[in-house]
Amino acid sequence: MRHVDFSPLYRSTVGFDRLFTMLDSLAQPDQAQTYPPYNIERTGENTYRITMAVAGFDEKELSIEAHANVLQVKGEKSEESAESSEYLYRGIAKRAFERRFQLADHVEVQAASLKNGLLHIDLLRNIPEAMKPRRISIAAESVETAKAIEAHIS
């Protein structure tokens, strides 16, 4: 993958530091995590859902934290007692994980649920009224209200 140098953009833009940092971090090859698998879907005009396959984890072993446009999901398995059964083959992952998602401005976590080994995180883009587009009416000037400039001929 090519490395893109954003330094010329840093010199000519203001306030886009977070965007360039995010693009830089996405280009790093060591960040290609594959566990746990997940889907991101758009469920409505301003609603989204992240679904993560977290088989073997329960609610107490998962934590979800949203802070400064980053959603962080962590999973840590509790220690099993040494008296548990002996595994001949272990195909279900027991390892801890940490997955981060960059959230756009005004995206909030609405709810999270765990069902059948799938963690569902519902998100809502809640744009403040002041930032929503609004229609500006154009007033037509009528002939009666128009002011005429009179010329005086001497």
Side-chain angles (χ1 to χ4, degrees), residues 11 13 47 72 75 80 93 103 105 108 115 132-135 142:
R11 290 191 299 261
T13 60
T47 55
Q72 180 179 30
E80 294 180 12
L103 300 179
D105 293 335
E108 304 166 352
K115 184 177 179 184
K132 288 183 180 176
R134 62 183 189 272
R135 182 170 290 281
S142 67

Side-chain angles (χ1 to χ4, degrees), residues 13-32:
T13 60
V14 176
F16 291 96
D17 303 345
R18 189 174 75 85
L19 175 66
F20 298 138
T21 304
M22 183 178 64
L23 289 172
D24 238 357
S25 69
L26 291 175
Q28 302 298 327
D30 59 344
Q31 302 236 346

Side-chain angles (χ1 to χ4, degrees), residues 73-144:
V73 181
K74 286 184 184 179
E76 295 184 38
K77 288 296 285 178
S78 57
E79 293 296 322
E80 294 180 12
S81 64
E83 300 170 9
S84 64
S85 2
E86 177 184 343
Y87 288 97
L88 300 177
Y89 172 76
R90 181 174 243 160
I92 298 174
K94 182 185 167 183
R95 63 182 181 247
F97 68 88
E98 180 178 326
R99 173 78 67 179
R100 293 175 186 254
F101 299 93
Q102 293 288 332
L103 300 179
D105 293 335
H106 312 295
V107 173
E108 304 166 352
V109 177
Q110 288 299 107
S113 62
L114 182 64
K115 184 177 179 184
N116 298 331
L118 296 175
L119 174 65
H120 301 287
I121 304 170
D122 294 317
L123 306 169
L124 172 69
R125 183 174 54 196
N126 192 9
I127 302 172
E129 284 296 321
M131 298 187 76
K132 288 183 180 176
R134 62 183 189 272
R135 182 170 290 281
I136 311 294
S137 61
I138 302 172
E141 215 175 300
S142 67
V143 177
E144 297 170 4

Side-chain angles (χ1 to χ4, degrees), residues 18 66-71 102-103:
R18 189 174 75 85
H67 178 69
N69 293 355
V70 175
L71 175 66
Q102 293 288 332
L103 300 179

